[in-house]
Amino acid sequence: MNPRQPALSCAVTIATRNRRHDLEKTLAILARLDPQPDEVLITADACTDDTVEWVRAHYPQHRLTVNAQARGSVGSRNDMFRNAASDIVLILDDDSHPIETDFFAHLPVLFEQRPRVAIINFPQRTDECPATLETKDFGPSHFAGTYVNCATAVRRSVFVGLGGYPDFFFNAYDEPDLCLRCLAAGWQVWYETSLTIRHYFTSAQRNEIRTHHNHARNELWSVWMRCPMPQLFAVSLFRIARQFGYAGKRGWRWVVREPAWWVKAIRGLPRCWRNRQPIPWPRYRAWMELIRRPIHDESEWNAKFGTAPTDAAA
């Protein structure tokens, strides 16, 4: 890539809760990038530590939003996207950051080179997967069916045009749901291996079972909002069975707690039905296939998802 003065502006968004020390490290590294992002937006989501006071004292130039009541990463990111003024939004966790110091020289160029791409996901070097810390080559870039919020850039206009994330998800499964809607509207999702993100994956504010329950619940809710009839019922049963299988692999303590998310999911189904916008089955099925098998060829992409974005999401 040959960096040049880009036409697209870039923002960074970070949602945080009671992890000031992680946020401090991340913001210090962002401050050393050259060039800098055009804006940095931070949401302190019902923080009870000194995050708010610390950010105001040390980074008054950043746009800080304080949620008195927790809105989760989903609602916090929705608000930051709406408040951002930039064309491209890089989504980070408070414990993730770009590795390349000239990251923002290249990021807008990637979007300019691929005008049909709405989302670009980057490889993570993460403590969660120690092998990635030493990986020399993350392989070829390709089209993808999902992404990870701590290492992704999104066209703001597409995000807002598609309605953002479902606020009631609170946390988890917002990424696949947005990808599905992007692909249904003709936008592309791209996994780009020329740039990388460091993710320290702190254990603070993380609970594996809670995350699993939120993910499984929201996955089922997404099915009820996006999957067409009559496939809705078969896909729902498949998702429930797959999540139960995952719990079984984690042990009996997980299995006996599995019904907890079933109850929460059932309670939310009426709301999902009211927000239902089913996607034609050929594209829904193509998206499920893309999750399992990435596409490298543009012509194959066009055959499955179309040749241009719809006006509604442009």
Side-chain angles (χ1 to χ4, degrees):
M1 292 182 294
N2 296 315
R4 57 177 176 78
Q5 186 64 33
L8 299 175
S9 55
C10 296
V12 170
T13 61
I14 301 173
T16 186
R17 185 176 189 185
N18 292 341
R19 298 202 303 209
R20 196 267 287 174
H21 293 290
D22 296 297
L23 180 65
E24 180 178 350
K25 295 175 184 177
T26 296
L27 293 181
I29 292 172
L30 289 179
R32 296 198 291 268
L33 300 184
D34 185 19
Q36 287 280 289
D38 295 279
E39 55 181 336
V40 176
L41 295 89
I42 302 167
T43 295
D45 191 38
C47 291
T48 57
D49 62 1
D50 63 341
T51 294
V52 173
E53 295 77 14
W54 184 87
V55 172
R56 286 173 174 166
H58 293 84
Y59 292 93
Q61 72 275 25
H62 294 342
R63 299 176 62 183
L64 175 66
T65 298
V66 180
N67 292 342
Q69 300 294 324
R71 300 197 60 214
S73 60
V74 170
S76 298
R77 286 173 176 141
N78 276 341
D79 289 344
M80 287 187 286
F81 264 90
R82 296 186 187 107
N83 293 332
S86 299
D87 303 300
I88 306 301
V89 175
L90 177 67
I91 308 172
L92 297 175
D93 281 356
D94 52 18
D95 57 359
S96 70
H97 62 79
I99 291 178
E100 294 80 11
T101 56
D102 60 348
F103 186 93
F104 286 103
H106 299 291
L107 178 61
V109 178
L110 291 172
F111 279 94
E112 291 172 354
Q113 291 173 340
R114 293 186 171 274
R116 294 174 57 198
V117 165
I119 299 172
I120 299 181
N121 188 213
F122 304 100
Q124 299 178 66
R125 297 191 183 276
T126 172
D127 300 307
E128 188 179 19
C129 301
T132 63
L133 301 177
E134 304 298 330
T135 299
K136 302 299 183 183
D137 184 0
F138 285 99
S141 302
H142 55 76
F143 297 108
T146 190
Y147 63 94
V148 182
N149 262 325
C150 66
T152 292
V154 183
R155 287 188 195 271
R156 179 182 172 276
S157 60
V158 177
F159 184 95
V160 174
L162 290 175
Y165 298 134
D167 264 351
F168 57 94
F169 275 19
F170 194 80
N171 175 260
Y173 207 76
D174 40 318
E175 303 103 318
D177 184 78
L178 180 63
C179 275
L180 172 58
R181 286 180 286 143
C182 281
L183 306 187
W187 289 97
Q188 297 172 331
V189 178
W190 185 251
Y191 180 71
E192 174 60 50
T193 59
S194 65
L195 298 173
T196 49
I197 298 291
R198 179 68 167 96
H199 188 196
Y200 293 95
F201 201 80
T202 181
S203 60
Q205 304 300 318
R206 297 188 190 274
N207 180 296
E208 283 191 282
I209 292 181
R210 181 182 62 202
T211 298
H212 164 66
H213 285 188
N214 287 346
H215 181 97
R217 178 199 65 193
N218 294 350
E219 182 181 53
L220 186 62
W221 284 352
S222 177
V223 170
W224 274 66
M225 287 191 292
R226 318 298 178 199
C227 189
M229 291 290 192
Q231 294 88 354
L232 167 66
F233 301 107
V235 174
S236 295
L237 290 174
F238 168 73
R239 300 296 192 192
I240 294 170
R242 190 181 66 168
Q243 294 295 350
F244 189 80
Y246 173 77
K249 293 178 181 178
R250 297 301 302 266
W252 68 269
R253 298 182 196 280
W254 283 59
V255 170
V256 297
R257 296 176 66 176
E258 195 71 352
W261 80 259
W262 300 345
V263 173
K264 293 178 182 178
I266 291 171
R267 289 174 179 169
L269 290 183
R271 183 174 189 175
C272 296
W273 194 260
R274 291 192 300 270
N275 288 276
R276 183 169 164 76
Q277 295 180 320
I279 291 166
W281 177 246
R283 287 198 177 187
Y284 195 99
R285 181 180 61 190
W287 167 71
M288 290 195 298
E289 294 172 351
L290 182 61
I291 295 287
R292 298 189 300 271
R293 186 181 67 84
I295 293 175
H296 294 83
D297 182 70
E298 184 90 19
S299 61
E300 183 181 357
W301 175 277
N302 292 338
K304 287 180 176 291
F305 298 104
T307 58
T310 61
D311 292 339

